[in-house]
Amino acid sequence: MEYPQENFAATKFAPGSFWARRREVVRAQTLRHQLQMLKKTGRYDAFKLRWHPSYSIPPTVYPIPNHQFWDSDVAKWIEGACYLLMDSPDAEIEEAVKELVEMIKGAQHPDGYLNIHYSVVEPGKRFTNLRDMHELYNAGHLIEAALAHHRYFENVEMLSPILKYVDLLATTFGDQEGQIPGYPGHPEIELALLRLYKVSANQKHLQLAQFFIEERGNPKGSKNQRHYYDDEAEARGESEHDLPMYYPAARSYWYQQAHVPIIDQETIEGHSVRAMYLLTAVADLIRIREPDSQTGIKFLPAIERLWSNMVEKKSYVTGGIGAMKQWEGFGIDYFLPHGTDEGGCYAETCAAIGVMMLAERMLQIKLDSHYADIMELCLYNSVLTGMSLDGKAFTYVNQLASSDQDISQRHEWFECACCPPNVTRTLGFLGGYLWSHTVKDQTAIVNVHLYSSATLNFKTSQSTVTITQQTDWPWNGDVNFDIKIDGPPVDLQVRLRIPDWAESWNVAPSPGTLDVRDGYLFLSVEWLQAHPQFQLSCTMQPRVVRPHPLTLQPVVYITRGPIVYCVEDVDNPWEQNHFKVIALSLKETISSYKHATS
Amino acid sequence: MEYPQENFAATKFAPGSFWARRREVVRAQTLRHQLQMLKKTGRYDAFKLRWHPSYSIPPTVYPIPNHQFWDSDVAKWIEGACYLLMDSPDAEIEEAVKELVEMIKGAQHPDGYLNIHYSVVEPGKRFTNLRDMHELYNAGHLIEAALAHHRYFENVEMLSPILKYVDLLATTFGDQEGQIPGYPGHPEIELALLRLYKVSANQKHLQLAQFFIEERGNPKGSKNQRHYYDDEAEARGESEHDLPMYYPAARSYWYQQAHVPIIDQETIEGHSVRAMYLLTAVADLIRIREPDSQTGIKFLPAIERLWSNMVEKKSYVTGGIGAMKQWEGFGIDYFLPHGTDEGGCYAETCAAIGVMMLAERMLQIKLDSHYADIMELCLYNSVLTGMSLDGKAFTYVNQLASSDQDISQRHEWFECACCPPNVTRTLGFLGGYLWSHTVKDQTAIVNVHLYSSATLNFKTSQSTVTITQQTDWPWNGDVNFDIKIDGPPVDLQVRLRIPDWAESWNVAPSPGTLDVRDGYLFLSVEWLQAHPQFQLSCTMQPRVVRPHPLTLQPVVYITRGPIVYCVEDVDNPWEQNHFKVIALSLKETISSYKHATS
């Protein structure tokens, strides 16, 4: 059960259900659309290591070359494709994956090194700017792609070259003589190495991830007993006032969550995607080392503190994070404007995906419905919204209030195209977020985090367990469960998340005493054996939600179930000021009517 | 009547009155305190052009050396001293002024150049960084000091060397062959040159000011047909990514109001003090050239547009301006947080002084009480607050809501010490803000902008006019006027500003029909001859004022008369959150009681 990117395969969404329809759009439309975009923009062929005209264009976000992330765009698409190909074979997609893998293999240096920019544009400068460049970030996504590829194709065509690259990285980075004591400006490789470790069982992979995590922000980590990024910038001959566009001031290492070591960070700061990817890795490291290990005791308080600061003071009602545009990240506590014309609401799609990733990791450390509530909130309101109904247009910025100066619109692609393939891969392994299960001999535990018409199927030592949810979620709060065991009896426990937003809920037939722990209803082996069919009902009434008073936002939100509703121009007469001065009379009853396409 | 810095001498505040007491503190305490600070910090002796240890300290605000403004700190103190010495002689202060003037004369280069930094620290680099450095700003303050010195001492000991410097500047800058087509990053010299022109009648002074104003922001003004600052930066060998701390992005010329020519600026942007000093000069230029001249027609719409944008969308209830700390200036429309912990409220003291300056200039173009209302608002709530009761501590930042992280406090001095001597000189010539008068033969017009117990005394061709106000303003809205004419009758008109905040008002004895134009009550020659004593009464009831809804500030302000009231820790139990969550019941009547020291 360790990774949703693996256990998603045990879940089948019911055909025609809410998420099955979304995933089908991704499989049939998005993968193809994004493949075209990869081809059209030069990304597809980039691993051939020829010059592309765009390499000569000055960076839009100085000092990062626009093509710096191309490796990861391709990698995320491969990863997403490998998850979705399981739904039904697709020769064109499969062919493209194979061709890309061939090109990736062909781009590898004899020593294992693998990166488009540093092979074509700045050969000889590899690993000289970990702070700004995305070599290790790209490497992380290549690892994740290779893992998905390995899983689907059941060969090592991609994993094998990537392992060779990882070997090079493990030799290059570390605190030993001759090694570089640095760490990536954009975390990602840490969580990828930990996933890789699950498959490889290679201690070097675990150790490299842990080195990157523990060394991060060390004020005396460099060869000159300074911050590593100081040494590195000096070696590049850079003035400290030569500012990357995302730095509001010199040495803004908080942008990279590297201003101080992670364990000393009191508030969540900087680039929100980086923060989420980093903390996801930290949580995974805690899980692997165990929460009560030295590593766990060291990092758990920090990660809980940073999570709380984020959720309580730096998150939008939709679960979106990162108000500030300049550094694509967190503002000061309670600074949560609704539109860019009010000074914020960047709320990048990838950041919300990152919140889901972190929440899922946290659930494995501690089964607490708070994490699943946030995960569900992000899924419906900040991630799902990142893709159009036809699966061919995407958001990067997710304002809650569009303005005439900066109208919220989806786009078919972006120069920095992290978000579109991130949505693809997230929906690809979405089943892995629904529930987690552990099996030991004839004993099994299933924790149900999200509700959707779907079936979970897994084996115990002698039997096969099939659990089906049937529901109209998110439009209706009734969920019918059906448990089938094929073979000898299984000691099965099921724990159901009780959503925080449910004003009331019940289970039928009644289990008598309700054993609710940290927001999960624990259903016992005995009760489940007596009641293999049961229903969870959560009331879904329209609710008026207010932001924290210190956000100074004089608004209310209308929510129902997991969904935060939105007033849109497309449904209403054009508003010059985009609804800024519209008032809602709370004397009226807010009623809902059945959704047409439930 | 052209300049309040001149006509203030016609006004005497009644001893013991509100402003007389404040000015007396400045004369007796502040001048002396600030003289000590000038001496203690090295500024006093800096014109001796010896090395000071602080010159080796890296800039706090890169790339501006910390001592860059020292010339102006000294100049503003001299200017303030010369205004206040008129109240009563003070040998120590007078001696210091004389010694400083001797040192300034001694620091002048043979060609007239005069600047501490470029004489001692970077000789040979004069005029190579108009964008960031403050040579011309310093020159402007030296001009203003020389004018005040000339006025008080009635000699040219200071004015003469300064005129020589101005000659050098007039030769150096301009659009002729061999001249530098640049303009100062920090406006000030423009308004100083226009004041100087009044005394010198030298067309070169007017023309240089007009060149600086008209050339500003020219996208093709440089020798290479680019923005002048682009040429200049290239000549310095600077990367465009070598960012001054106040630039959030490369080429943020809006910081200096130089992103486009002034006439094309749609909204008020950037550093708020720079904006105010610049627009004050523009307004003065319009006045000098006449509003219906080519220059007037060109600039008046821009200045009115920028004023409106500022007052309607970028000002605090106190008249303070400039929410943003990084560039000490304006944020986006309606972005007006109350504390730095909420993302803003820098509201620099000098900026509010600048609003007063601009408002006073605008009143001379168009007599409209709106300008005087804002001028009064700033004086009581953003300028007066900049100095402690004992006259020895000052504010730079003026938060409306202090926080535990950043407690509002006054300080005896600042590294960048623009505000303290600016308050000194403003209170020095405060009488000039009260009223303006014009005289022609035996005809005179007096426009009364502010109310205070004071006497205005001026001569017509054959008579002397004395107008006395007697009032407890700002605590009481009754003002008794008494007009005395010594000599043959004068055709005197008086116009009284009716404050916007006065819910009701009246004049006794009643003038019958009230001739109110743009917020000023016009009292005719005939009526005044019949009623040389009369009373204006403005109601001063506590009022609840709300900010514009689009500021998203869920607060109310309690005001009474011109004063915005404040809840302070010093009067109340310590509040952990500095009153953030305190609510005011508006069902209660807000009552006021007589001020103890009225």
Side-chain angles (χ1 to χ4, degrees):
Chain A
M1 65 160 272
E2 284 91 344
Y3 295 99
Q5 295 94 333
E6 294 174 17
N7 71 27
F8 80 96
T11 296
K12 294 275 172 274
F13 288 95
S17 67
F18 186 91
W19 287 113
R21 284 185 287 118
R22 289 279 72 203
R23 288 185 81 251
E24 178 56 18
V25 166
V26 175
R27 193 197 62 74
Q29 304 294 336
T30 311
L31 275 180
R32 220 161 230 89
H33 166 78
Q34 293 184 345
L35 178 58
Q36 280 165 15
M37 296 311 302
L38 293 179
K39 288 183 172 169
K40 190 170 141 186
T41 58
R43 284 160 169 85
Y44 189 84
D45 289 320
F47 276 108
K48 288 182 181 159
L49 305 187
R50 297 194 197 117
W51 190 268
H52 188 277
S54 76
Y55 297 171
S56 309
I57 298 170
T60 302
V61 179
Y62 174 84
I64 306 180
N66 300 337
H67 58 278
Q68 174 69 201
F69 327 90
W70 282 14
D71 319 51
S72 69
D73 297 336
V74 168
K76 280 195 279 191
W77 183 84
I78 293 175
E79 186 187 348
C82 290
Y83 299 141
L84 288 152
L85 279 168
M86 284 182 60
D87 286 6
S88 77
D90 185 318
E92 185 189 340
I93 299 295
E94 211 161 304
E95 207 44 56
V97 172
K98 284 180 184 163
E99 189 173 34
L100 282 168
V101 169
E102 280 310 305
M103 290 191 277
I104 289 169
K105 282 162 65 180
Q108 189 163 37
H109 295 215
D111 67 353
Y113 187 74
L114 189 48
N115 181 278
I116 297 165
H117 176 79
Y118 285 109
S119 299
V120 181
V121 184
E122 293 194 283
K125 291 204 175 174
R126 63 161 84 156
F127 306 138
T128 56
N129 189 350
L130 301 183
R131 189 191 75 185
D132 300 308
M133 301 302 248
H134 288 62
E135 276 163 298
L136 295 172
Y137 167 85
N138 284 330
H141 278 301
L142 285 168
I143 293 167
E144 292 206 88
L147 288 169
H149 181 278
H150 177 246
R151 193 178 200 304
Y152 176 70
F153 287 96
E154 297 180 336
N155 67 38
V156 293
E157 288 296 307
M158 183 165 186
L159 188 58
S160 178
I162 297 305
L163 282 171
K164 187 175 176 188
Y165 187 17
V166 173
D167 279 345
L168 173 70
L169 297 176
T171 313
T172 305
F173 294 96
D175 54 9
Q176 300 302 304
E177 186 65 29
Q179 289 185 309
I180 298 175
Y183 38 85
H186 197 316
E188 153 65 24
I189 195 169
E190 299 86 344
L191 69 87
L193 284 168
L194 295 174
R195 274 186 65 198
L196 177 63
Y197 170 67
K198 167 72 175 14
V199 172
S200 70
N202 184 336
Q203 286 293 321
K204 282 200 297 185
H205 301 162
L206 174 58
Q207 283 160 4
L208 181 58
Q210 186 151 358
F211 169 76
F212 284 146
I213 288 169
E214 295 197 316
E215 186 60 20
R216 193 170 199 86
N218 183 348
K220 299 192 171 190
S222 78
K223 296 211 162 68
N224 293 315
Q225 291 281 300
R226 294 185 299 184
H227 195 288
Y228 177 75
Y229 293 157
D230 289 339
D231 260 24
E232 201 194 52
E234 190 176 274
R236 288 193 301 274
E238 256 171 44
S239 145
E240 75 166 356
H241 302 292
D242 186 341
L243 293 193
M245 275 191 186
Y246 33 83
Y247 269 21
R251 302 183 76 254
S252 293
Y253 299 154
W254 50 264
Y255 168 79
Q256 283 106 343
Q257 296 83 41
H259 47 309
V260 292
I262 295 166
I263 55 167
D264 295 329
Q265 297 182 15
E266 293 295 327
T267 52
I268 194 137
E269 301 295 341
H271 190 271
S272 50
V273 179
R274 293 172 200 240
M276 290 305 95
Y277 285 21
L278 176 64
L279 296 186
T280 297
V282 175
D284 204 24
L285 180 66
I286 294 167
R287 183 191 62 80
I288 291 169
R289 295 293 195 192
E290 303 286 348
D292 56 1
S293 68
Q294 214 182 335
T295 301
I297 290 164
K298 185 173 156 188
F299 282 104
L300 195 52
I303 203 168
E304 288 178 336
R305 182 170 69 233
L306 296 172
W307 169 275
S308 296
N309 178 236
M310 175 176 81
V311 172
E312 291 164 17
K313 301 183 180 175
K314 299 191 179 188
S315 290
Y316 286 97
V317 69
T318 53
I321 55 168
M324 309 305 291
K325 179 177 183 172
Q326 191 189 355
W327 53 88
E328 301 185 300
F330 299 101
I332 52 179
D333 285 352
Y334 300 115
F335 185 80
L336 295 162
H338 284 90
T340 51
D341 67 328
E342 295 170 0
C345 207
Y346 196 77
E348 186 181 338
T349 308
C350 282
I353 290 174
V355 177
M356 286 183 66
M357 286 161 51
L358 175 56
E360 188 279 330
R361 289 291 87 180
M362 294 305 283
L363 280 170
Q364 298 213 19
I365 297 174
K366 186 174 187 218
L367 187 71
D368 185 327
S369 65
H370 166 68
Y371 297 116
D373 284 332
I374 299 292
M375 193 165 82
E376 182 183 64
L377 185 71
C378 287
L379 175 61
Y380 283 101
N381 301 289
S382 302
V383 177
L384 177 60
T385 50
M387 188 176 75
S388 62
L389 278 176
D390 71 359
K392 296 178 181 178
F394 309 90
T395 62
Y396 191 114
V397 174
N398 294 279
Q399 295 185 81
L400 296 193
S402 182
S403 68
D404 292 329
Q405 301 98 292
D406 184 12
I407 291 179
S408 292
Q409 282 172 318
R410 293 193 180 84
H411 300 271
E412 64 170 9
W413 197 246
F414 302 95
E415 186 174 82
C416 172
C418 49
C419 301
N422 219 358
V423 174
T424 303
R425 65 178 192 142
T426 300
L427 289 178
F429 67 88
L430 185 68
Y433 281 108
L434 247 58
W435 31 30
S436 52
H437 63 280
T438 47
V439 176
K440 193 179 177 194
D441 303 332
Q442 277 296 88
T443 305
I445 299 174
V446 175
N447 302 322
V448 188
H449 309 305
L450 303 178
Y451 299 104
S452 175
S453 284
T455 301
L456 175 70
N457 193 284
F458 63 88
K459 288 190 194 314
T460 58
S461 56
Q462 303 169 51
S463 310
T464 299
V465 178
T466 305
I467 306 184
T468 301
Q469 299 184 39
Q470 204 279 314
T471 178
D472 268 347
W473 208 276
W475 315 122
N476 184 300
D478 296 336
V479 189
N480 292 301
F481 283 86
D482 187 359
I483 300 173
K484 288 204 168 63
I485 295 178
D486 191 9
V490 173
D491 276 1
L492 173 69
Q493 292 179 54
V494 172
R495 293 134 180 202
L496 304 179
R497 166 182 154 250
I498 306 303
D500 180 54
W501 47 256
E503 280 166 21
S504 67
W505 60 276
N506 74 291
V507 170
S510 171
T513 313
L514 296 172
D515 179 10
V516 179
R517 307 180 203 171
D518 293 324
Y520 279 79
L521 172 66
F522 278 52
L523 296 174
S524 66
V525 174
E526 298 70 29
W527 189 83
L528 287 166
Q529 279 171 352
H531 306 90
Q533 296 185 327
F534 58 92
Q535 185 186 54
L536 170 70
S537 294
C538 299
T539 55
M540 281 192 183
Q541 290 301 320
R543 297 190 312 143
V544 174
V545 177
R546 287 184 172 76
H548 193 287
L550 295 189
T551 62
L552 306 179
Q553 297 295 328
V555 300
V556 294
Y557 309 102
I558 306 296
T559 71
R560 182 179 175 279
I563 292 186
V564 182
Y565 283 78
C566 177
V567 180
E568 288 190 312
D569 278 325
V570 76
D571 304 321
N572 292 280
W574 176 260
E575 273 293 325
Q576 198 63 37
N577 54 30
H578 277 237
F579 312 111
K580 261 193 209 307
V581 294
I582 289 201
L584 181 73
S585 167
L586 292 178
K587 287 173 193 156
E588 307 295 322
T589 306
I590 298 161
S591 53
S592 57
Y593 45 95
K594 194 168 159 60
H595 195 277
T597 58
S598 76
Chain B
M1 65 160 270
E2 284 91 344
Y3 295 100
Q5 294 94 335
E6 294 174 17
N7 71 28
F8 79 96
T11 297
K12 295 275 170 276
F13 288 95
S17 66
F18 185 91
W19 288 113
R21 283 185 286 118
R22 288 279 75 202
R23 289 184 80 252
E24 177 56 19
V25 166
V26 175
R27 193 197 62 75
Q29 304 293 336
T30 311
L31 276 180
R32 221 161 230 89
H33 166 78
Q34 294 185 344
L35 178 60
Q36 281 166 17
M37 295 313 300
L38 292 178
K39 288 183 173 171
K40 189 170 142 188
T41 58
R43 285 160 169 84
Y44 189 84
D45 289 320
F47 278 107
K48 287 182 183 160
L49 305 187
R50 297 195 197 116
W51 190 269
H52 188 277
S54 74
Y55 297 170
S56 310
I57 298 169
T60 302
V61 180
Y62 175 84
I64 305 180
N66 298 339
H67 58 278
Q68 175 68 200
F69 328 88
W70 282 15
D71 317 54
S72 70
D73 296 337
V74 168
K76 280 195 279 192
W77 184 84
I78 292 175
E79 186 189 348
C82 290
Y83 299 140
L84 288 152
L85 279 168
M86 284 181 59
D87 286 6
S88 74
D90 185 319
E92 184 189 342
I93 299 296
E94 211 162 304
E95 205 45 56
V97 172
K98 285 180 184 165
E99 189 172 33
L100 282 167
V101 169
E102 281 309 305
M103 288 191 278
I104 289 170
K105 281 161 67 178
Q108 189 163 37
H109 294 216
D111 67 353
Y113 187 75
L114 188 50
N115 181 279
I116 297 166
H117 177 78
Y118 284 108
S119 299
V120 181
V121 184
E122 293 194 283
K125 292 206 176 172
R126 63 161 82 159
F127 307 137
T128 57
N129 190 350
L130 300 184
R131 188 191 76 184
D132 299 309
M133 302 301 249
H134 289 60
E135 275 163 301
L136 296 173
Y137 166 86
N138 284 331
H141 278 302
L142 285 169
I143 294 168
E144 292 206 89
L147 288 169
H149 181 277
H150 176 246
R151 194 180 198 302
Y152 177 70
F153 287 96
E154 298 180 334
N155 67 38
V156 293
E157 288 295 307
M158 184 166 186
L159 188 58
S160 180
I162 297 307
L163 281 171
K164 187 175 175 186
Y165 187 17
V166 173
D167 280 344
L168 173 71
L169 297 175
T171 313
T172 305
F173 294 96
D175 53 11
Q176 301 301 304
E177 187 63 31
Q179 288 185 309
I180 298 175
Y183 38 85
H186 197 317
E188 155 64 23
I189 193 169
E190 299 86 344
L191 69 87
L193 285 168
L194 296 174
R195 273 185 65 198
L196 177 62
Y197 170 67
K198 167 71 175 16
V199 172
S200 70
N202 185 336
Q203 285 293 322
K204 284 200 296 186
H205 301 163
L206 174 58
Q207 284 159 6
L208 182 58
Q210 187 150 358
F211 169 75
F212 284 147
I213 288 169
E214 295 198 315
E215 187 59 21
R216 193 170 199 88
N218 183 348
K220 299 193 170 189
S222 78
K223 295 211 165 69
N224 293 315
Q225 292 279 301
R226 294 186 299 184
H227 195 288
Y228 176 75
Y229 294 156
D230 289 339
D231 261 24
E232 202 194 53
E234 190 176 273
R236 289 193 302 273
E238 256 172 44
S239 145
E240 75 165 358
H241 301 293
D242 186 342
L243 292 192
M245 276 189 184
Y246 33 83
Y247 269 20
R251 301 184 77 255
S252 295
Y253 298 154
W254 51 262
Y255 167 78
Q256 282 106 344
Q257 297 83 41
H259 48 309
V260 291
I262 295 166
I263 56 167
D264 296 329
Q265 297 181 16
E266 293 295 327
T267 51
I268 195 140
E269 302 296 339
H271 190 272
S272 51
V273 179
R274 293 172 200 240
M276 291 305 96
Y277 284 22
L278 177 64
L279 296 185
T280 297
V282 175
D284 205 23
L285 181 66
I286 294 168
R287 183 192 62 79
I288 291 169
R289 295 294 195 190
E290 304 286 348
D292 56 2
S293 69
Q294 214 182 336
T295 301
I297 291 165
K298 184 174 157 187
F299 282 105
L300 194 52
I303 202 169
E304 287 178 337
R305 182 171 67 234
L306 296 171
W307 170 275
S308 295
N309 179 237
M310 174 177 82
V311 172
E312 291 165 17
K313 301 183 179 174
K314 299 190 178 188
S315 290
Y316 287 97
V317 70
T318 52
I321 55 169
M324 309 305 292
K325 180 176 181 173
Q326 191 189 353
W327 52 87
E328 300 185 301
F330 299 101
I332 53 179
D333 285 352
Y334 300 115
F335 185 81
L336 294 163
H338 284 89
T340 52
D341 67 328
E342 294 170 0
C345 207
Y346 196 76
E348 186 181 339
T349 308
C350 282
I353 290 174
V355 177
M356 287 183 67
M357 286 161 51
L358 175 56
E360 189 279 329
R361 291 290 89 181
M362 295 304 283
L363 280 170
Q364 298 213 19
I365 297 174
K366 185 173 188 220
L367 187 71
D368 185 328
S369 66
H370 165 68
Y371 297 116
D373 283 332
I374 299 294
M375 191 166 83
E376 181 184 63
L377 185 71
C378 288
L379 175 61
Y380 282 101
N381 301 289
S382 300
V383 176
L384 177 60
T385 49
M387 188 178 74
S388 62
L389 277 177
D390 71 0
K392 296 179 181 178
F394 309 90
T395 62
Y396 189 115
V397 174
N398 293 279
Q399 296 185 81
L400 295 193
S402 183
S403 67
D404 291 330
Q405 302 96 293
D406 183 13
I407 291 179
S408 292
Q409 281 174 318
R410 294 193 180 84
H411 300 272
E412 65 169 11
W413 196 246
F414 302 95
E415 186 174 81
C416 171
C418 50
C419 299
N422 220 357
V423 174
T424 302
R425 64 178 191 141
T426 299
L427 290 178
F429 67 88
L430 185 68
Y433 281 109
L434 246 58
W435 31 29
S436 52
H437 64 280
T438 48
V439 176
K440 194 179 177 193
D441 303 328
Q442 278 296 88
T443 306
I445 299 173
V446 175
N447 300 322
V448 187
H449 309 304
L450 303 177
Y451 299 104
S452 176
S453 285
T455 300
L456 174 69
N457 192 284
F458 62 89
K459 288 190 195 315
T460 59
S461 55
Q462 303 168 53
S463 311
T464 299
V465 178
T466 305
I467 306 184
T468 302
Q469 299 183 39
Q470 203 280 312
T471 178
D472 267 349
W473 206 277
W475 314 122
N476 183 299
D478 298 334
V479 189
N480 294 300
F481 283 87
D482 187 359
I483 299 173
K484 286 203 169 64
I485 295 180
D486 191 8
V490 173
D491 276 0
L492 173 69
Q493 292 178 53
V494 172
R495 293 132 179 203
L496 303 179
R497 166 182 153 248
I498 307 303
D500 180 54
W501 47 256
E503 281 165 24
S504 66
W505 60 276
N506 74 292
V507 170
S510 169
T513 314
L514 296 173
D515 179 11
V516 179
R517 307 180 204 172
D518 293 324
Y520 278 79
L521 172 67
F522 279 52
L523 297 174
S524 67
V525 174
E526 298 69 31
W527 189 84
L528 288 166
Q529 278 170 351
H531 306 91
Q533 295 185 329
F534 58 92
Q535 185 186 51
L536 169 70
S537 294
C538 300
T539 56
M540 282 191 181
Q541 291 300 321
R543 297 189 312 142
V544 174
V545 176
R546 288 184 171 77
H548 192 288
L550 295 188
T551 62
L552 306 178
Q553 298 295 328
V555 301
V556 294
Y557 308 103
I558 307 296
T559 70
R560 182 177 176 279
I563 293 184
V564 182
Y565 282 78
C566 175
V567 181
E568 290 191 309
D569 277 326
V570 74
D571 304 321
N572 291 279
W574 176 258
E575 272 294 325
Q576 198 64 37
N577 55 30
H578 275 236
F579 310 112
K580 261 194 211 303
V581 294
I582 290 201
L584 182 71
S585 167
L586 293 178
K587 286 175 194 155
E588 308 295 323
T589 305
I590 298 160
S591 54
S592 57
Y593 45 92
K594 195 170 158 54
H595 196 276
T597 58
S598 73

